[in-house]
Amino acid sequence: LAEPQPTFDPEAAGWPLVFSEEFDGTEVDTNKWEHSSEISKRQCHVSDGTLKIATEYPEGQTNLVSGGLWARQGYCYGYFEAKVKFTTYNGWWAAFWLCTHSCGNPFVDGFEIDVFEDYYMRNAARNTLDHNLHITGAGVLKSWNYNSTIPGTHEDWYTIGCKWTPFEITYYINGQAISS
């Protein structure tokens, strides 16, 4: 098995672009995206080329509500990336997952690739991201966990990517491999 590339540029490698979203409208494009719940429709906002997903405690309630989106089209293998800014609020975290449409339980779904979860970054002093692979085979759940450190501050934007082939899953920050 070959070592993963320390950098990866899918365009230079000849990989065709099959999906792109620049969030250049004023609302979520429901031809490309499906909201994860009815609540999500109120929590996802598009403006100035950015998707903002709100998280809040509704008045009089103790449970957080938030939003999430599923791509309407399914994909297997490829290079997946998003330009993101991370959270720093206690109790909240952002995530970018590759999983089956009914995400939430790898025992049922079969797999979950966490391109990133930023739950370690709940305060500005922490700069650690979590990357995971959860796979069920023969009824047994196996998980691999990787951590990385962001190369800048919480105020910076980062391009987080994942190359998924039949032979590898490699995680990238700003085009640099961090784990495989």
Side-chain angles (χ1 to χ4, degrees):
L1 194 56
E3 286 292 315
Q5 299 165 299
T7 63
F8 182 68
D9 179 344
E11 187 176 339
W15 290 25
L17 178 64
V18 297
F19 180 86
S20 178
E21 174 63 273
E22 302 303 322
F23 296 108
D24 54 4
T26 57
E27 59 186 35
V28 171
D29 182 347
T30 55
N31 292 314
K32 292 181 177 181
W33 300 103
E34 181 177 337
H35 288 278
S36 60
S37 67
E38 282 299 313
I39 291 170
S40 178
K41 292 178 183 178
R42 296 188 311 269
Q43 301 301 112
C44 293
H45 309 281
V46 175
S47 66
D48 300 322
T50 303
L51 167 68
K52 295 177 184 172
I53 301 176
T55 303
E56 64 186 3
Y57 288 102
E59 190 172 328
Q61 294 186 23
T62 57
N63 291 328
L64 279 170
V65 297
S66 188
L69 298 176
W70 302 105
R72 287 203 175 269
Q73 174 68 40
Y75 301 94
C76 183
Y77 306 131
Y79 182 75
F80 304 84
E81 72 175 17
K83 188 174 181 181
V84 300
K85 199 176 233 188
F86 300 113
T87 59
T88 57
Y89 300 105
N90 286 327
W92 302 5
W93 82 84
F96 176 15
W97 300 327
L98 305 177
C99 56
T100 55
H101 198 50
S102 59
C103 177
N105 186 344
F107 277 115
V108 176
D109 296 336
F111 82 95
E112 176 183 308
I113 300 170
D114 300 340
V115 178
F116 82 85
E117 293 183 292
D118 73 353
Y119 48 79
Y120 289 125
M121 297 184 25
R122 292 178 181 164
N123 68 60
R126 301 283 309 267
N127 291 326
T128 303
L129 293 178
D130 201 41
H131 315 272
N132 299 291
L133 171 61
H134 308 292
I135 298 175
T136 297
V140 176
L141 175 67
K142 295 280 190 176
S143 292
W144 293 265
N145 172 264
Y146 308 96
N147 296 118
S148 67
T149 301
I150 61 172
T153 71
H154 287 237
E155 289 76 36
D156 297 328
W157 286 89
Y158 298 92
T159 300
I160 305 295
C162 177
K163 181 169 59 166
W164 175 27
T165 75
F167 309 105
E168 76 173 292
I169 295 171
T170 302
Y171 303 98
Y172 294 85
I173 295 180
N174 296 339
Q176 301 295 312
I178 52 169
S179 266
S180 185

